[in-house]
Amino acid sequence: MMNRARGPLWLYVLFALSGAAGLGYQMVWVRMFAAGLGHETPAMLGVASAFLGGLAVGGWYFDQRIGSSSNAVRWYVGIEIVIGGFGLLTALTIPLVNQLAVQLIGPEPSAFRQWSVVFLLPFVTLLPATAAMGATLPAMERLLSPLMAKSRCIGAIYAANTFGAVAGTLGTVFVVMPALGFRATLGVLAAVNVICAVAAWRFWGAEKRGPENRQREERTRNRSASVAATATAGVFRRHVWQRHCSSQDFSASGLRSWWCGSCRRCWRTRSTAMRRRWRCIWSGRRSGERGISEGIVRRVMRWSLSRLLTALAAACLLSAALLHFGRPIYSAIRGGVGESLTAAALGESLMAAVAFLIPTVLMGATFSHLVQSARREDGGVGRAGAVNTLGCAAAGLVGAVLLPLLGTKTTALALGVGYLLVVPNWRKVGWLLAAVPVALGLAAMADLRIVDKLPGAEVIAYQDGAMASVAVVKTADGHRSLRVNNRLQMGGTAAAMAERRQAHLPLLLHPAPRRALFLGPGTGVTLGAATAHPELTVDGVELVAEVISLMHHFEPENEGPLPKKGGRVLSADARRFVRVTTNRYDVIVADLFHPAHDGAGFLYTKEHFQAVRERLAPGGLFCQWLPLHQLEEPVMRSIVRTFLDTFSETRGFLLHFNVDIPALALVGTLDKPVFEQGLFEKRLADGELRSRLRGVGLERFINLAGCFVADAGTLDRFAGSAPLSTDNSPVVLFAAPRFAVKRDVRVEALLLSVLEKCQLNESALAKSGFDLSDERFASDLKGFMAARDIYLKGLVKEGAGDLSGAVEMFLASAGRSLLFTPSYARCVTIIQVMAQTDRDRAKELFQELEAAQPAQPLGKKLLGPLLDPAAAK
């Protein structure tokens, strides 16, 4: 016979395990649908609302059926098996639904069409599993309530399930999915459902039947069958919390990451579990136990709903005020816990606890109070949960409207005050009412526009959107930069030359481009540079609509206003646009996608590269820029392996000769490329284009060819046996949390590794695509590349503080090639600075420079008068 003292504890362990499976499903489903529906606001909210809608349907429909049943155990076991079976089936159905969805949405859908598709298709696809999840709450309550004093068990159920939900979310996202991929993870979660069902049935059936203990057997059945019924209670309660606190996420740009949401749920779970441990009124299993803790908790839980809602309003307003100090608090915490992923997670957990502990405790208490109050003999719990879940589904749409309309602070204040509108009895509020205006005043004074700035910088534009907060920051020297969610800098005027090269380099590699597509134009500087090429039509696709509306702040550097005649700038998901557009492009350029940006991982998968290939016109090329300073070598090797698997004819090119923000272009062509100097010179007959190329250092063919670093064979050796990045296992997406928390990173490390492992030889140069039949050009190109590599290593030494070692490298580089001028120019600059304090050493260095490259007259013109004024006269 089951030990009554130990039985519930064992059941709660199973409740937690079932809750972990429920949240794991949601994490996988959201990411799988994002691969097809996109990452715009409608897609993200549509999938979440579809999930919640399914829970509501199941809770409402099965509530009275389960409540009037005499065998809730069989209901629960069957429900758990249904969840596992249909959850496993979604591994096959979701990819098919994604293919249908992108065709129904199209490249430029109306708002009604897009919202309808992104809600209805996921809703129907997930309905069998999500409806079963919604039915577990009433089933679990019916099984557990006979064990509790006055049948009050919602708080205990909620605590155990939510604890499991947190553990399941973290384990699924950070362990299981990266190790197994999406489809295999669904298999693991389905196995958990089956295990819970079998364990519950076996646990229930272990009791010995007998007339003398029939009543005890019935209690044991109820207790054991409630094991897995908590699976989806935590799922939909998690959405209650998440939808309500989504405004708090939006109010803190620095805490937007999913990790912080997990940590807030964790604190909420901990508080609810403590109430269960203290035998609070919700659990009340042992009414005979008394103690100081129990007495305090009982008094708190006897508060009326009016007091709970008033306290919750005040707590949410106070939380908004605390977010004003979030950045310094978080920085202080991170400084103390370290730089690892675990330390970063701990830091965000502590920061989230500071801001959200009190509100989430009150949210848990309010939810338990409302659902418990709705219980009747024939049900009620499921329908109360269904109504609550429908409110959560609507919250996403409301937030998508309020944030762009009202802004962060006003939305946060409105959400806090909104609780007061549903207070049923003001006479029972008492002194708590006085706390509301105090909290409201503190929140009103808080500045929730979190944007890091250098001294002397100012924010000249700021927009809150449903997806992100976007800011334009202007520094003291007049340069502007684009900041998304305060974490991601998406370009700026200080790097305008490099951004222009991102357009010119791939366009010059095509013999005669007529139409080009740019994915992720950001500031528009790259897009604007492309308009200098005559007879070229340019399209741009940007995910965040607010970025497009702020492009005018980067004029005239972006050649705006954009778009130019004949071109377009669309707000859409780049991945979905590529799959559904009927246009064919001569050149497609994918910008430097920050790997930590939500959804960027799906832009490096084989399926996306294949879709891009299908959009290329005959003779077209695809250029994928890689931010070497934001990637780890294993991840980059996986990207290269995936790119080569789609484009067998691939070449690698450096963006510029810089180690601070190094970038590499993977250029894939449909046919074997031929880069002819004659065609290059013919295109430069256009005086306007030649002038623009001179401004970015690409007016000579040798400068373009000198960016070449690797042919397909060399890249293949660099990639080695790295795994392919696919929609089922997107390597970059799984690695994103590591990118997001990194701070002290050697930005040049990956660049040096690429140069070392991709050393050029005669064979590689012969396969470069450049015509080396001209011996003089071949010799010049070899010297240019050798000087380039030496120069880059010299910049690394200079950055490390080894000036003498850097100067040796620069002199060696200058001596290798007359045509590679950056090293010679760097030496001239160093000599000019040195002459102010040590003229003798400057003269010696000038003589060494002249000896290294005597054919260069620039040194004598610039340094002669400085070092020998008498000779200059």
Side-chain angles (χ1 to χ4, degrees), residues 16 79 81 278 305 376 441 563 647 743 863:
I79 286 169
I81 292 175
W278 294 342
L305 179 61
R376 304 185 309 272
F647 293 92
R743 290 185 174 181
L863 300 177

Side-chain angles (χ1 to χ4, degrees), residues 78-335:
I79 286 169
E80 197 70 36
I81 292 175
V82 168
I83 295 172
F86 279 97
L88 184 60
L89 185 61
T90 57
L92 301 176
T93 58
I94 290 179
L96 298 177
V97 171
N98 279 340
Q99 294 179 19
L100 175 62
V102 295
Q103 298 302 322
L104 292 176
I105 295 173
E108 300 179 59
S110 65
F112 176 78
R113 182 177 184 178
Q114 185 174 12
W115 278 97
S116 299
V117 172
V118 299
F119 172 77
L120 291 175
L121 287 184
F123 177 78
V124 173
T125 303
L126 302 179
L127 183 60
T130 54
M133 289 179 180
T136 56
L137 178 62
M140 171 206 49
E141 191 277 335
R142 285 295 164 180
L143 291 167
L144 192 59
S145 58
L147 298 175
M148 301 299 183
K150 300 182 181 180
S151 300
R152 303 181 71 92
C153 62
I154 296 299
I157 293 169
Y158 177 53
N161 183 261
T162 310
F163 177 81
V166 173
T169 300
L170 299 178
T172 300
V173 171
F174 293 105
V175 179
V176 184
M177 285 197 304
L180 303 178
F182 295 136
R183 289 193 291 269
T185 298
L186 288 174
V188 171
L189 297 174
V192 172
N193 290 125
V194 173
I195 290 172
C196 289
V198 171
W201 183 266
R202 188 177 183 83
F203 198 22
W204 164 70
E207 289 294 304
K208 300 295 184 180
R209 300 175 59 90
E212 72 279 6
N213 64 352
R214 189 178 302 275
Q215 184 177 5
R216 181 176 299 173
E217 180 191 41
E218 185 64 26
R219 290 197 302 267
T220 303
R221 291 178 181 177
N222 293 340
R223 193 181 305 143
S224 60
S226 37
V227 171
T230 55
T232 56
V235 174
F236 79 78
R237 181 62 195 111
R238 180 260 185 187
H239 278 287
V240 173
W241 175 88
Q242 185 183 40
R243 285 296 104 189
H244 172 78
C245 289
S246 63
S247 61
Q248 304 296 339
D249 284 338
F250 290 130
S251 357
S253 296
L255 293 177
R256 281 182 186 273
S257 69
W258 175 87
W259 244 110
C260 277
S262 299
C263 296
R264 277 172 250 160
R265 285 192 296 276
C266 190
W267 278 106
R268 180 198 61 193
T269 302
R270 180 179 178 184
S271 63
T272 312
M274 290 171 66
R275 292 201 300 275
R276 172 69 184 107
R277 181 179 177 183
W278 294 342
R279 311 292 194 260
C280 69
I281 194 170
W282 312 125
S283 307
R285 182 168 58 86
R286 294 188 176 184
S287 57
E289 295 182 4
R290 292 295 185 269
I292 296 177
S293 297
E294 182 181 2
I296 294 174
V297 175
R298 282 182 177 275
R299 286 199 299 272
V300 173
M301 293 306 147
R302 280 197 297 268
W303 286 0
S304 65
L305 179 61
S306 299
R307 293 185 177 184
L308 279 173
L309 291 172
T310 305
L312 185 52
C316 287
L317 292 171
L318 180 61
S319 175
L322 288 173
L323 288 175
H324 174 72
F325 305 99
R327 192 65 176 177
I329 294 174
Y330 178 66
S331 298
I333 293 173
R334 282 293 305 273

Side-chain angles (χ1 to χ4, degrees), residues 267-574:
W267 278 106
R268 180 198 61 193
T269 302
R270 180 179 178 184
S271 63
T272 312
M274 290 171 66
R275 292 201 300 275
R276 172 69 184 107
R277 181 179 177 183
W278 294 342
R279 311 292 194 260
C280 69
I281 194 170
W282 312 125
S283 307
R285 182 168 58 86
R286 294 188 176 184
S287 57
E289 295 182 4
R290 292 295 185 269
I292 296 177
S293 297
E294 182 181 2
I296 294 174
V297 175
R298 282 182 177 275
R299 286 199 299 272
V300 173
M301 293 306 147
R302 280 197 297 268
W303 286 0
S304 65
L305 179 61
S306 299
R307 293 185 177 184
L308 279 173
L309 291 172
T310 305
L312 185 52
C316 287
L317 292 171
L318 180 61
S319 175
L322 288 173
L323 288 175
H324 174 72
F325 305 99
R327 192 65 176 177
I329 294 174
Y330 178 66
S331 298
I333 293 173
R334 282 293 305 273
V337 299
E339 299 298 328
S340 67
L341 179 60
T342 303
L346 176 60
E348 294 195 8
S349 300
L350 295 175
M351 177 59 227
V354 170
F356 297 104
L357 176 59
I358 296 176
T360 49
V361 168
L362 293 170
M363 288 176 195
T366 304
F367 173 79
S368 298
H369 180 87
L370 288 170
V371 176
Q372 189 70 67
S373 300
R375 184 185 186 277
R376 304 185 309 272
E377 288 301 321
D378 61 343
V381 170
R383 294 196 171 185
V387 172
N388 184 276
T389 307
L390 284 177
C392 297
L397 179 60
V398 173
V401 174
L402 288 182
L403 274 169
L405 183 64
L406 302 179
T408 299
K409 180 189 291 188
T410 304
T411 303
L413 297 181
L415 286 169
V417 175
Y419 282 107
L420 299 177
L421 301 180
V422 292
V423 172
N425 191 338
W426 286 98
R427 290 178 298 177
K428 294 186 177 183
V429 172
W431 62 270
L432 282 171
L433 186 60
V436 175
V438 175
L440 179 60
L442 293 174
M445 292 186 294
D447 183 6
L448 301 185
R449 300 196 314 174
I450 303 175
V451 181
D452 294 334
K453 305 182 297 292
L454 294 173
E458 60 176 330
V459 178
I460 61 174
Y462 187 93
Q463 287 190 11
D464 275 316
M467 287 189 63
S469 295
V470 183
V472 178
V473 180
K474 183 178 181 180
T475 56
D477 58 3
H479 284 297
R480 289 90 65 206
S481 61
L482 181 67
R483 198 79 59 81
V484 177
N485 288 346
N486 192 44
R487 289 190 172 192
L488 308 178
Q489 182 156 318
M490 312 298 284
T493 57
M497 178 174 151
E499 293 186 35
R500 293 184 183 115
R501 288 174 67 99
Q502 290 180 42
H504 289 308
L505 194 148
L507 290 172
L508 291 173
L509 292 176
H510 191 283
R514 291 294 177 265
R515 188 162 195 172
L517 173 65
F518 288 81
L519 306 178
T523 63
V525 174
T526 300
L527 193 69
T531 62
H533 291 254
E535 302 181 11
L536 179 68
T537 299
V538 180
D539 295 336
V541 178
E542 173 59 51
L543 177 64
V544 182
E546 290 73 22
V547 169
I548 298 176
S549 66
L550 295 178
M551 273 187 184
H552 66 277
H553 288 283
F554 298 92
E555 299 173 6
E557 287 84 354
N558 64 5
E559 310 295 334
L562 296 172
K564 293 294 184 70
K565 183 179 179 180
R568 300 176 300 168
V569 179
L570 305 176
S571 177
D573 181 80

Side-chain angles (χ1 to χ4, degrees), residues 568-646:
R568 300 176 300 168
V569 179
L570 305 176
S571 177
D573 181 80
R575 178 187 165 97
R576 193 190 68 245
F577 178 86
V578 167
R579 293 180 66 183
V580 299
T581 183
T582 57
N583 297 330
R584 291 292 185 269
Y585 295 94
D586 298 303
V587 176
I588 298 179
V589 180
D591 209 331
L592 294 165
F593 302 126
H594 195 298
H597 192 278
D598 187 31
F602 283 113
L603 296 173
Y604 294 108
T605 65
K606 177 177 174 57
E607 289 82 357
H608 174 61
F609 291 156
Q610 184 62 43
V612 170
R613 182 184 177 93
E614 293 172 0
R615 298 282 77 78
L616 291 176
L621 66 84
F622 172 46
C623 174
Q624 174 67 68
W625 289 105
L626 301 179
L628 299 185
H629 58 297
Q630 295 168 343
L631 291 173
E632 298 172 326
E633 184 168 330
V635 175
M636 182 183 169
R637 291 173 56 239
S638 179
I639 295 174
V640 173
R641 169 58 57 209
T642 306
F643 198 92
L644 286 169
D645 193 68
T646 308

